[in-house]
Amino acid sequence: MELSLAHPALKAFMCGSLSGTCSTLLFQPLDLVKTRLQTLHSNMQPGSARVGMVTVFLSVVRTEKLIGLWKGVSPSFVRTIPGVGIYFSTYYSLKQHYFLEQGPGAMESVLLGAGARTVAGVCMLPVTVIKTRFESGRYNYVSVAGALRSVCQIEGPRALFSGLTATLLRDAPFSGLYVMFYSQGKNTLPQEISTSPYAPLANFSCGILAGVLASLVTQPADVVKTHVQVSPHLYKRTADAVRYIYNEHGFPGFFRGGVPRSLRRTMIAAMAWTVYEQMMARMGLKS
């Protein structure tokens, strides 16, 4: 009996990992540009979000070549392949356990998404810290394993969990809001579209809208998380980073890097959910 319950969860893990891998490879440059924008020094004002994004993009290509846009893709893979798998398998298990007969409502969707993201976020936080540092361009790490060893030896294992509060404040609400907007959007689709060959495209469109709304709400937490993980020696508490960002950049500073992050998170989430649901359907499982 235990094996039969675990088997669908394992399938959900595999589907989630594959969907996350494809989307991470495609959109890693947007994540790198977002991180660089958020960690600009106070005397390097990028102007508007759009000009700042283009400026940073061209600067990376000019100084680090085109391949530089994929800096940090190794830790992204190390984080995404198991991380997205953990997220979807947890989400699937919770949904099957609590909402097997009746689908979740709006608030239940928020709790499902937030709960699954919290589990995945805590499990993968050490790799998230390394990934953020890779992308910042301030550390000369050669490999993920070498970076993990370096942090443990120089800063102590605790540094691998820096920004935990900000990460959960960003990821749990994002995922909860995303699942709510996405599921509610799908429920409003006419039955003839949901059962037509265009269903994946319609689902992807719902994912785009859900991603934009969830990204805007959680952008300030993402900026704080980046600062804490890149410079943990400067911020003893999350509140210290919040105070610094506000004093140096004002309220708009909490939305720095919002354009590339919204693009990346929206496209990744929409693609991941579309691929996940299609693969689960092919396996005969209800996602």
Side-chain angles (χ1 to χ4, degrees), residues 7 10 17 44 48 51 56 64 78 112 114 133 137 139 156 162 208-209 238 257 286:
H7 189 54
L10 179 60
S17 296
M44 296 174 62
S48 66
V51 173
V56 172
E64 304 174 45
V78 174
L112 269 177
R133 293 189 177 193
Y139 296 84
S162 61
I208 294 285
L209 178 61
T238 301
K286 186 177 180 180

Side-chain angles (χ1 to χ4, degrees), residues 1-14:
M1 179 66 177
E2 292 182 358
L3 182 61
S4 63
L5 289 175
H7 189 54
L10 179 60
K11 287 183 178 180
F13 180 92
M14 294 170 59

Side-chain angles (χ1 to χ4, degrees), residues 136-195:
S136 72
R138 299 185 184 182
Y139 296 84
N140 296 318
Y141 297 139
V142 177
S143 65
V144 176
L148 290 169
R149 282 196 302 270
S150 175
V151 173
C152 288
Q153 292 171 0
I154 298 174
E155 304 172 50
R158 186 175 180 179
L160 292 173
F161 288 88
S162 61
L164 174 61
T165 301
T167 299
L168 293 182
L169 287 175
R170 177 199 66 169
D171 287 352
F174 176 89
S175 185
L177 291 171
Y178 182 91
V179 173
M180 181 190 72
F181 290 136
Y182 180 67
S183 59
Q184 295 303 303
K186 283 179 58 182
N187 290 339
T188 62
L189 293 175
Q191 184 66 28
E192 53 269 24
I193 294 181
S194 301
T195 56

Side-chain angles (χ1 to χ4, degrees), residues 186-253:
K186 283 179 58 182
N187 290 339
T188 62
L189 293 175
Q191 184 66 28
E192 53 269 24
I193 294 181
S194 301
T195 56
S196 73
Y198 299 102
L201 181 59
N203 293 344
F204 189 81
S205 300
C206 292
I208 294 285
L209 178 61
V212 170
L213 295 174
S215 292
L216 290 175
V217 174
T218 58
Q219 178 62 21
D222 184 69
V223 176
V224 174
K225 183 238 24 151
T226 299
H227 276 269
V228 173
Q229 291 180 344
V230 170
S231 305
H233 56 286
L234 297 179
Y235 312 110
K236 300 301 181 183
R237 298 173 302 170
T238 301
D240 296 334
V242 173
R243 194 177 303 111
Y244 170 82
I245 294 168
Y246 183 77
N247 290 338
E248 290 292 321
H249 307 290
F251 185 72

